[in-house]
Amino acid sequence: MLRTPIDRRFLLRSTVGLAAFGVAGGLMLSAARAQTGLVALVHTQAAGDAGPVDSMIARLKQLAEEKGFEYRAIYAQDPATYETIFRTLGDAGAAVIVSTFNEVAEPFKAVAPAYPDTKWIQLFADPFEPAIPNVVTVSYDYYLGCYLSGIFAARVSKTGKIGFIGGISIPPINADFNALKAGAQSVRPDATVTAAFAGSFQDPAKGQEIAAQMFSDGIDYIQTDAAATDFGIIAAANEGEGRMVSALDPAQFPIGPKSLISIVGLDFGASLYNETTKALGGDWAGGSHVSTGLDTGVIDFILSPLFQEQGKADVVAKAKEAWPEIEKAKAGILDGSIKVPFNTAL
């Protein structure tokens, strides 16, 4: 599975950004309520992204309804509040705390050991060295999906000019770009692949500016890697004929039915659901790192069904013609006959 059918948009109003003192006041629970097993998601990017954060909130709500536990989704906008938020949740007796992205690593290391009865999960993380017994870190081999996107881009692009727009230049996102380039040039050696970074995962205006310039320069396929910044990239693609974009989440398909041709899907919601289920059950393995790849139901390369219905007929035909090659390459990655380097150098 790659996405829950739950409509995430109605959940966005329920996620509130909280300053440190607001969290301290609003999340202190009575002992009786704490015993029910609070599960908290602390997300460091805003909801409303039609992507990772919306997906995680929706799947946490779904799991809470299935298992009958209390949950909180908290937007930690200011890094200065991270430790206070985590300590407040620990003091409240949270059973599981899930948080997101690289920036929470040091706060986790500082706070988690003081709350050994709480299970901590960091999504999009490097392994902790040394490991902390009550912490699980989770990484994603998104670069493998980007390699498939590169092959696909090389087959559907008319110009042979391919773009990549990331939120911030960090090692895993640099590796995504290099994999996209390697995939494209594996089947079309003369393809050019150009990278740019918006400097933020929450700046649609900058994404639109960069994408518009890329399209003006003759690039006709852009792979995004920028969360909410993707809104602007897709908007730029919608502004002209022959512009294609590959994004992150199926919720984005309706935003660009004639331009958003595919996604390298990274289902943060499914990952949260899987790891939280383990933490609540008997499969918890604290002090470990989970590497999530193509065969996990979390990462995949997917054609947009809306583009297949509404996209230009010649491009739709090219996409369908290229798909057996994509499936073959995916099988090769899974069986080890295709090695995709994890190259973080730009």
Side-chain angles (χ1 to χ4, degrees):
M1 75 171 174
L2 236 210
R3 275 290 171 254
T4 173
I6 290 176
D7 183 353
R8 306 180 194 100
R9 291 174 177 81
F10 82 95
L11 293 167
L12 305 187
R13 294 189 297 274
S14 68
T15 304
V16 181
L18 297 172
F21 294 107
V23 171
L27 287 178
M28 290 304 294
L29 304 175
S30 68
R33 292 179 69 196
Q35 288 172 4
T36 64
L38 171 69
V39 177
L41 165 65
V42 180
H43 52 95
T44 58
Q45 295 175 18
D49 60 356
V53 176
D54 291 0
S55 175
M56 287 186 285
I57 294 169
R59 294 308 296 273
L60 178 59
K61 180 178 185 291
Q62 177 190 352
L63 186 59
E65 291 172 347
E66 292 173 358
K67 301 290 187 181
F69 59 78
E70 182 176 12
Y71 77 97
R72 293 285 187 274
I74 303 155
Y75 177 28
Q77 185 174 11
D78 183 355
T81 69
Y82 292 172
E83 285 196 27
T84 300
I85 291 171
F86 293 142
R87 290 188 189 280
T88 301
L89 288 166
D91 289 340
V96 181
I97 297 172
V98 184
S99 196
T100 55
F101 312 128
N102 288 328
E103 55 264 35
V104 302
E106 294 308 314
F108 260 39
K109 292 174 183 177
V111 177
Y115 300 91
D117 295 330
T118 297
K119 296 173 180 177
W120 302 71
I121 302 168
Q122 184 189 354
L123 303 181
F124 199 93
D126 295 322
F128 283 6
E129 295 181 3
I132 299 175
N134 59 330
V135 176
V136 165
T137 52
V138 185
S139 64
Y140 305 97
D141 294 336
Y142 192 75
Y143 73 106
L144 299 176
C146 288
Y147 182 86
L148 299 177
S149 179
I151 295 173
F152 182 71
R155 293 308 191 201
V156 299
S157 170
K158 291 183 178 180
T159 66
K161 295 181 178 180
I162 298 159
F164 174 92
I165 301 176
I168 298 173
S169 176
I170 56 177
I173 292 183
N174 296 348
D176 296 342
F177 162 69
N178 286 319
L180 180 79
K181 182 177 180 179
Q185 293 182 344
S186 72
V187 298
R188 189 170 178 175
D190 63 341
T192 61
V193 187
T194 303
F197 299 89
S200 171
F201 291 97
Q202 302 183 79
D203 192 346
K206 187 64 175 179
Q208 186 166 4
E209 175 188 336
I210 295 170
Q213 184 60 57
M214 283 187 169
F215 288 129
S216 295
D217 291 342
I219 287 170
D220 61 358
Y221 182 106
I222 295 175
Q223 175 62 54
T224 74
D225 204 349
T229 298
D230 287 0
F231 284 124
I233 301 168
I234 297 167
N238 290 340
E239 292 173 351
E241 290 287 334
R243 297 179 175 186
M244 294 173 284
V245 62
S246 177
L248 174 70
D249 193 288
Q252 297 169 316
F253 288 151
I255 303 170
K258 296 181 180 180
S259 63
L260 203 167
I261 189 170
S262 60
I263 60 167
V264 178
L266 197 174
D267 195 335
F268 279 93
S271 181
L272 178 147
Y273 185 99
N274 294 344
E275 299 308 322
T276 304
T277 298
K278 293 176 188 176
L280 294 170
D283 294 331
W284 171 257
S288 64
H289 180 77
V290 178
S291 181
T292 313
L294 279 175
D295 58 346
T296 60
V298 174
I299 297 172
D300 207 350
F301 183 64
I302 303 169
L303 286 177
S304 165
L306 290 182
F307 187 91
Q308 291 180 71
E309 294 172 357
Q310 301 181 39
K312 293 187 67 176
D314 61 329
V315 181
V316 172
K318 278 187 176 182
K320 291 180 178 178
E321 182 181 345
W323 202 249
E325 188 172 13
I326 302 303
E327 294 285 5
K328 182 178 179 181
K330 179 180 176 181
I333 292 170
L334 293 175
D335 69 21
S337 60
I338 294 177
K339 305 291 185 183
V340 183
F342 185 77
N343 178 9
T344 63
L346 288 180

